[in-house]
């Protein structure tokens, strides 16, 4: 693969800023990076791009998606929006294998996965799936899911998923149904603690779905490493802060998705779906889906509780990670685009600085998930890059002024020719 140099750009490394910098890529790695005064001697074949007025960022990491049924558009669409790595939070074995194979093709985001989540009989997400789809094919697939009950079943599940799926982390489900005004089958805290203990023995970090305050506390008390949502049923408490601190746990709040759940985010969803800068990156059907709402929590949740929870956690020093909960059928979301929506909410609703928000979608997520080859622009790491016009370190919505996206040094073909303009 040929080498190239980006110069005269503002660089956010994922941790710090170089105001007038350069980055050199050779093959799929970052060869060197620094101020323009330190540009090394280049080979004659090295392509040079001078992009004054632009900002170079690490490729974004969406730490929460669902590529249901191995959605063939999930990885390409994410990449077009500057998301160079996605973290799938629940999927069946055939889908995982298809998606891993798809990453060998150009124009796809890298794929991390929980594989098949640790589920119980009639537990989440079975009720929400079967409420909309009772087809024989879907019911047959659900019948194959783990139905964990005790330590032996947990060990058998972990041995199976390690052998067949090689997951990057283990996903737990802890949904009581509070957000919907329902009462759903819920694992015991003892069972969840067993899953976490056995996962830790095998070197896995654990992440958990929970959308009520009590469910969140249950998972923190069980010892989970991170939460893949915040809650929306009541205001945050000091007990919550203490539990997060006791675990050194992180929170991926999925605020944009929660706005869809309560319907209070509809206006912002419409704004992002119809932004003039993204129309060539997303089709009409997906724009329409982005404008609709899931509405499960319209009667029993408030997005203000979710915002408040993140504000107090941030103030207490808890790490906040950026992830969208985007899924093909999930109304109010769109692969890739929802990350920009989430970043905007972090700044405009939570009060993060743009640099802090961008760190939550790059270096901080890489650090907390143990992705040591990405998330930071540093010599020797993957050349996963996002080039935007403007300065998202001042105006976060400039992240949508996309002029180039590279995964492991390969330019996404949507941006062929853009750099020369």
């Amino acid at each position: 693969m040929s080498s190239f140099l980006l110069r005269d750009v503002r660089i956010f490394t994922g941790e710090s800023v170089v105001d007038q910098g350069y980055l050199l890529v050779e093959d799929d790695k970052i060869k060197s990076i620094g101020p323009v005064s330190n540009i090394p001697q280049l080979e004659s074949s090295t392509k040079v791009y001078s992009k004054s007025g632009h900002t170079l960022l690490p490729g974004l990491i969406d730490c929460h998606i669902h590529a249901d049924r191995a959605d063939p558009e999930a990885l390409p669409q994410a990449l077009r929006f500057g998301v160079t790595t996605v973290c799938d939070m629940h999927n069946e074995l055939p889908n995982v294998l298809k998606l891993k194979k798809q990453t060998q093709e150009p124009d796809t985001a890298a794929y991390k996965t929980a594989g098949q989540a640790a589920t119980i009989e009639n537990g989440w997400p079975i009720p929400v799936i079967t409420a909309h789809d009772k087809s024989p094919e879907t019911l047959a697939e659900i019948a194959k899911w783990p139905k964990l009950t005790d330590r032996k079943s947990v060990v058998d599940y972990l041995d199976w998923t390690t052998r067949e799926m090689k997951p990057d982390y283990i996903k737990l489900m802890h949904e009581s149904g509070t957000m919907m005004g329902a009462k759903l089958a819920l694992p015991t805290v003892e069972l969840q603690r067993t899953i976490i203990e056995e996962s830790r023995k095998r070197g896995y970090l654990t992440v958990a779905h929970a959308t009520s305050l009590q469910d969140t506390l249950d998972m923190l008390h069980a010892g989970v490493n991170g939460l893949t949502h915040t809650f929306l049923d009541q205001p945050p408490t000091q007990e919550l802060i203490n539990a997060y601190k006791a675990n050194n746990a992180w929170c991926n709040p999925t605020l944009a998705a929660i706005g869809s759940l309560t319907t209070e985010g509809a206006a912002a969803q419409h704004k992002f779906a119809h932004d003039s800068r993204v129309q060539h990156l997303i089709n009409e059907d997906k724009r329409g889906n982005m404008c609709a709402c899931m509405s499960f929590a319209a009667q029993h949740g408030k997005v203000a509780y979710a915002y408040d929870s993140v504000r107090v956690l941030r103030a207490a020093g808890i790490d906040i990670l950026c992830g969208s909960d985007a899924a093909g059928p999930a109304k109010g979301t769109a692969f890739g685009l929802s990350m920009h929506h989430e970043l905007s909410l972090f700044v405009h609703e939570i009060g993060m600085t743009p640099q802090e928000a961008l760190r939550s979608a790059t270096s901080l997520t890489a650090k907390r998930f143990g992705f040591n080859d990405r998330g930071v622009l540093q010599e020797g790491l993957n050349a996963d890059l996002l080039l935007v016009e403007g300065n998202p370190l001042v105006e976060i919505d400039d992240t949508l002024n996309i002029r180039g996206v590279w995964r492991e040094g390969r330019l996404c073909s949507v941006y062929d020719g853009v750099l020369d303009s």
Side-chain angles (χ1 to χ4, degrees), residues 172 189 192-193 196-197 200 205-207 216-227 243 246-247 249:
L172 291 78
V189 176
Q192 302 287 40
R193 187 174 291 115
I196 292 166
E197 289 172 355
R200 188 173 294 128
L205 64 82
T206 52
V207 303
T216 300
L217 290 170
D218 284 350
M219 293 312 305
L220 290 168
H221 293 325
V224 77
N225 294 109
L227 273 298
N247 270 27

Side-chain angles (χ1 to χ4, degrees), residues 4 15 118 177 185 187 258 302 305 339 360 372 407:
F4 65 92
E15 294 290 350
I258 286 176
K302 293 183 179 180
Y305 294 149
M339 276 291 282
S360 78
N372 298 321
R407 178 194 154 204

